[in-house]
Amino acid sequence: MKAAPFAYVRAAGVGEAVAALSEGALVLAGGQSLVPLLNMRLVRPHTVMDVNRLDLAHLHRSGADLVLGALTRHRQVETSPLVRRDVPLLAAAMSHVGYVAVRNRGTTGGSIAHADPAAELPAVCVALDASFTVQGARGRREIPAGEFFLGPHRTALAADELLVETRVPVPPVGSGHGVAELSRRANDLAVVAVVACVAVSEGTVTYARIAVAGAAPTPIRATVAESVLLGRTPSADVIASAADAVADATDPSDDLRAPAAYRREMAVVLTRRALRQAVTS
Amino acid sequence: MKLTVTCTVNGREVRADCEPRRTLADFLRHDLGLTGVHVGCEQGACGSCTVLLDGATARSCCLLAVQVDGATVTTVEGLADNGVLGPLQEAFRSHHALQCGFCTPGMLATATELLRDNPRPTEAQIRTALSGHLCRCTGYQHIVDAVKAAADPGEPEAGEEQHRS
């Protein structure tokens, strides 16, 4: 199908973009989700606002955080030496997002604001306690990832706010990471995905982060599973009990990709795999 | 409301007026007559409309034409040199990597990017790269063979983008 007619504006600055948002424009960033929705007429905005020329493609380290401008592209994040050194979990998770052609265009800000419950990047943000800087007509505010995702494609972002930056706290030096995903074919949308980051010091887990995508209306942090690991030796048994604890945190629903019970079971299996990768990487 | 788009397509500067809702795929086909761009699903799933945008693959159905103002686009028509097939195209021909040819332009764009970024890919890397393209006739094996044949001869390096199942 072809999109219904709409007006097109190209924002020259963040202030101008926010003004257009308050008049009901939809944001076009990488377009990898929005343009198909336009083509299928599942959305019919009166105005599409292209933010691609805003100066938001920065990617740098600032103190204890990695800072990603909203227009950083998935492929840029995936291949960035800085990201691979400081937050390798993020680079690894990015390699699971769509195909290279999709990653060349898709943006971090777009993926976060789109809030697909099965998407990898929101899960990494939840796991690592990232925060999002959003700009509205009344100024900027920070929203922690744990409070940002409200439901499938629903976020704490107000209609007239633009996500401008993501700050990801850099995990401890020497921590390992794991990404385990179930999808119907390589690089297809995840049915369930688990991301994990674990630091082990003198044989004991000192830092553990686990998040699950595709097993609840939002990405979820598996805090009980994390506490099972903390202070213990990450043996196969400990990893298995941590993974078992993930089941209760999930809240999956049935859909055409997988029944709820299968998603819950896969969340456990994939957590085991992700943790095994994390403690051996 | 029509907007003017100026961009470089296959080495030639072009200019055309189009509605904002025009996808890059339809712009290339209908406004520029480049019917080598094939439109399959219009939702980024089949890969047939893949082109090179500023040297990087992009699904032309998932971009608005107005977004490429000032950019450089290469379609399958730009891969041949004055009617002489490039090495990758030649490999597709000699390995019977196409039957109906519908998916071929997209496959070629992706394989062009792959071989540029990783001149000696493993078979698993080739399969991963092509996983975003649907072919409904040949069954992929000859396509993989063709990309392998067009790759730099020699042992693949231990790449980082291994095939994941």
Side-chain angles (χ1 to χ4, degrees):
Chain A
M1 267 175 76
K2 309 296 175 190
F6 52 78
Y8 172 84
V9 293
R10 192 179 283 150
V14 172
E16 190 184 313
V18 168
L21 285 179
S22 60
E23 288 165 17
L26 273 190
V27 177
L28 172 62
Q32 301 303 289
S33 299
L34 179 61
V35 178
L37 291 172
L38 290 169
N39 289 347
M40 292 185 273
R41 300 199 179 193
L42 291 172
V43 292
R44 297 184 66 156
H46 58 75
T47 304
V48 166
M49 180 187 50
D50 185 352
V51 295
N52 281 281
R53 310 223 174 171
L54 298 184
D55 188 16
L56 293 174
H58 53 282
L59 172 54
H60 59 84
R61 172 87 184 241
S62 167
D65 296 337
L66 183 74
V67 180
L68 307 161
L71 285 175
T72 44
R73 311 270 163 188
H74 296 323
R75 186 68 171 161
Q76 177 194 355
V77 176
E78 176 192 1
T79 57
S80 155
L82 174 68
V83 177
R84 287 182 175 190
R85 188 195 69 192
D86 286 358
V87 193
L89 169 63
L90 182 58
M94 284 301 190
S95 73
H96 289 260
V97 180
Y99 315 98
V100 172
V102 172
R103 302 202 287 275
N104 283 336
R105 297 296 310 167
T107 66
T108 56
S111 173
I112 291 161
H114 188 59
D116 189 313
E120 295 84 357
L121 176 60
V124 172
C125 290
V126 166
L128 300 182
D129 268 334
S131 65
F132 309 121
T133 306
V134 306
Q135 170 96 41
R138 290 169 305 284
R140 289 192 169 205
R141 64 180 179 127
E142 298 278 324
I143 310 176
E147 297 167 18
F148 185 81
F149 301 102
L150 305 179
H153 308 289
R154 281 203 310 121
T155 69
L157 203 56
D160 61 350
E161 284 178 322
L162 183 72
L163 176 63
V164 292
E165 200 171 89
T166 299
R167 301 181 78 90
V168 183
V170 173
V173 175
S175 54
H177 67 273
V179 179
E181 180 165 319
L182 173 73
S183 60
R184 304 288 289 269
R185 55 179 177 146
N187 296 83
D188 201 353
L189 188 68
V191 176
V192 180
V194 176
V195 299
C197 192
V198 177
V200 179
S201 176
E202 292 171 6
T204 315
V205 175
T206 53
Y207 171 95
R209 298 300 180 88
I210 305 165
V212 185
T218 65
I220 48 166
R221 177 94 177 265
T223 46
V224 176
E226 292 172 4
S227 63
V228 169
L229 290 171
L230 284 171
R232 300 176 69 183
T233 302
S235 63
D237 285 349
V238 168
I239 285 176
S241 0
D244 287 342
V246 168
D248 284 342
T250 63
D251 179 19
S253 53
D254 296 317
D255 69 14
L256 56 87
R257 285 169 190 270
Y262 180 62
R263 285 178 190 270
R264 181 174 286 122
E265 179 62 24
M266 285 304 104
V268 172
V269 170
L270 296 170
T271 301
R272 244 177 356 238
R273 291 182 192 168
L275 288 174
R276 240 183 267 140
Q277 289 172 30
V279 300
T280 52
S281 67
Chain B
M1 182 184 65
K2 286 198 171 187
L3 298 170
T4 303
V5 177
T6 307
C7 55
T8 303
V9 179
N10 299 334
R12 197 165 54 92
E13 184 167 293
V14 297
R15 200 179 167 82
D17 293 336
C18 67
E19 279 190 88
R21 62 172 168 158
R22 192 70 129 180
T23 63
L24 175 60
D26 286 344
F27 176 77
L28 294 167
R29 286 178 60 83
H30 301 303
D31 297 316
L32 303 183
L34 296 169
T35 52
V37 178
H38 290 169
V39 177
C41 67
E42 299 191 311
Q43 51 182 281
C46 78
S48 297
C49 69
T50 306
V51 297
L52 294 165
L53 174 63
D54 291 330
T57 52
R59 303 282 168 90
S60 61
C61 75
C62 293
L63 274 160
L64 303 179
V66 289
Q67 288 183 271
V68 306
D69 194 46
T72 298
V73 178
T74 305
T75 69
V76 69
E77 287 89 345
L79 294 181
D81 186 10
N82 278 328
V84 179
L85 298 183
L88 183 64
Q89 290 172 306
E90 195 52 63
F92 266 60
R93 193 170 79 158
S94 58
H95 287 77
H96 308 289
L98 61 156
Q99 283 180 32
C100 83
F102 194 88
C103 69
T104 311
M107 294 274 187
L108 289 169
T110 291
T112 298
E113 181 183 56
L114 172 70
L115 296 180
R116 183 197 62 203
D117 295 346
N118 181 4
R120 288 195 290 273
T122 61
E123 180 172 329
Q125 287 169 334
I126 294 170
R127 287 180 180 274
T128 299
L130 296 178
S131 67
H133 294 266
L134 298 179
C135 167
R136 302 288 79 162
C137 22
T138 72
Y140 305 104
Q141 184 58 49
H142 291 177
I143 301 172
V144 173
D145 291 346
V147 177
K148 223 187 288 176
D152 201 345
E155 282 302 297
E157 287 165 30
E160 44 201 300
E161 279 183 60
Q162 294 298 327
H163 180 69
R164 297 180 306 264
S165 57

